[in-house]
Amino acid sequence: MQKLSTIYHMLFVAGLLCCSSAAFAQTGNKYIRKGNELYQQKQYTDAEANYKKALEQNQQSDVGRYNLGNSLYEQKRYDDARTQYTNSLKLSKDKTVKSDANYNIGNTYMEGKKWEESIKAYKQSLKMNPADEEARYNLAYAQSMLKKQQQGGGGDNKDNKENKDKDKKKQDQQNKNQNKDQQDKQKDQQDKEKEQQDQKPQPQPSKLDKQEAERLLQALNQEEKKLQDKMKKAKGQPVQVEKDW
């Protein structure tokens, strides 16, 4: 679900900068590049440290804040990651960065099952990039989960709950009254089926042993988990900065 992307776009310096400002920018870019290398190696805590060093040199770096958010997200520090994505949104003018940041904000909310907040974030992401199918899919998923949550909340008041309890008791009593007749009918039916079954060739036992069955079940579970993990994966890679020649 998450667009964890260190943003691969070039940072261009507008106008003439004094030597000290240029030096700070170059130092910050150096730390971002180092952070990106560590991020690609899945060394997320070390990447975080380098992104923070870059921000010490340039607090206004939308790239630094977005990439820091990615490293925090991978450490499952979703609230901290959301803060950095939000800061990146305020600083960036790049629609791709803003779209991905909103997408990842939606993911941080989805991790906490805050469906309404995630829906708002995915909608913002789609405003910036209407062609983003991942954001569209996650939006639909969050909307369906919100609807399920609202429907699964039970009655809106005590009377509704009591009515449901009464209906259940009534149904239980009716079921009990019918049990004897049903049991008799089932016994007759079972006797007939047994008699017919005895006259038929018996099927061969399954050649699938217990271990093979468990492996198949495990494979199916893994496929389902892969789908869920794909939804929750952040978008993109850490954003790159241009080299200091």
Side-chain angles (χ1 to χ4, degrees), residues 95-230:
K95 283 190 175 183
T96 299
V97 177
K98 294 169 81 71
S99 175
D100 287 355
N102 274 307
Y103 179 98
N104 289 347
I105 287 172
N107 286 354
T108 64
Y109 281 125
M110 191 179 287
E111 291 289 350
K113 297 183 179 180
K114 297 180 179 180
W115 309 118
E116 291 185 5
E117 291 88 342
S118 65
I119 288 169
K120 291 178 182 178
Y122 292 135
K123 286 182 177 179
Q124 288 298 319
S125 178
L126 285 167
K127 282 184 180 179
M128 298 293 168
N129 182 12
D132 190 338
E133 291 303 321
E134 292 177 54
R136 197 176 306 281
Y137 178 84
N138 282 6
L139 172 60
Y141 177 82
Q143 288 172 329
S144 69
M145 293 303 294
L146 176 61
K147 184 177 180 180
K148 184 183 294 186
Q149 184 183 69
Q150 292 171 339
Q151 292 175 342
D156 293 333
N157 52 51
K158 185 178 179 181
D159 291 338
N160 285 344
K161 186 177 185 301
E162 290 177 352
N163 289 336
K164 288 183 178 180
D165 290 341
K166 288 179 182 179
D167 291 341
K168 186 177 185 302
K169 289 179 181 178
K170 183 178 179 181
Q171 184 64 43
D172 289 344
Q173 187 61 43
Q174 289 176 350
N175 291 339
K176 287 179 181 179
N177 293 337
Q178 295 174 358
N179 272 349
K180 191 175 185 305
D181 290 340
Q182 290 177 348
Q183 288 174 356
D184 291 341
K185 290 179 180 179
Q186 287 175 357
K187 187 175 184 304
D188 291 341
Q189 183 66 27
Q190 288 172 356
D191 290 342
K192 290 179 181 179
E193 289 177 355
K194 186 175 184 304
E195 183 178 352
Q196 293 173 354
Q197 189 68 27
D198 291 340
Q199 298 172 1
K200 292 180 178 180
Q202 295 300 311
Q204 293 296 321
S206 172
K207 295 181 180 180
L208 189 66
D209 61 28
K210 184 178 179 180
Q211 289 183 343
E212 289 176 336
E214 288 178 350
R215 283 197 294 269
L216 286 174
L217 180 60
Q218 185 178 13
L220 289 173
N221 289 336
Q222 288 176 346
E223 287 301 318
E224 182 177 354
K225 185 177 184 300
K226 285 180 182 178
L227 177 61
Q228 294 296 329
D229 290 344
K230 184 178 180 180

Side-chain angles (χ1 to χ4, degrees), residues 22-32 53-54 57 244:
F24 275 119
Q26 290 175 359
T27 302
N29 290 353
K30 177 184 72 175
Y31 285 124
I32 289 177
K53 288 179 181 178
Q57 305 298 323
D244 304 317

Side-chain angles (χ1 to χ4, degrees), residues 1-4 68-78 80-82 85 104-105 107-108 111 231-234:
M1 281 172 2
Q2 177 197 5
K3 295 186 179 178
L4 278 185
L68 175 59
N70 287 349
S71 65
L72 294 168
Y73 186 100
E74 291 292 357
Q75 297 175 63
K76 301 186 185 304
R77 293 161 57 187
Y78 300 120
D80 293 337
R82 188 186 311 123
Y85 291 138
N104 289 347
I105 287 172
N107 286 354
T108 64
E111 291 289 350
M231 283 180 53
K232 295 185 178 181
K233 187 65 180 173

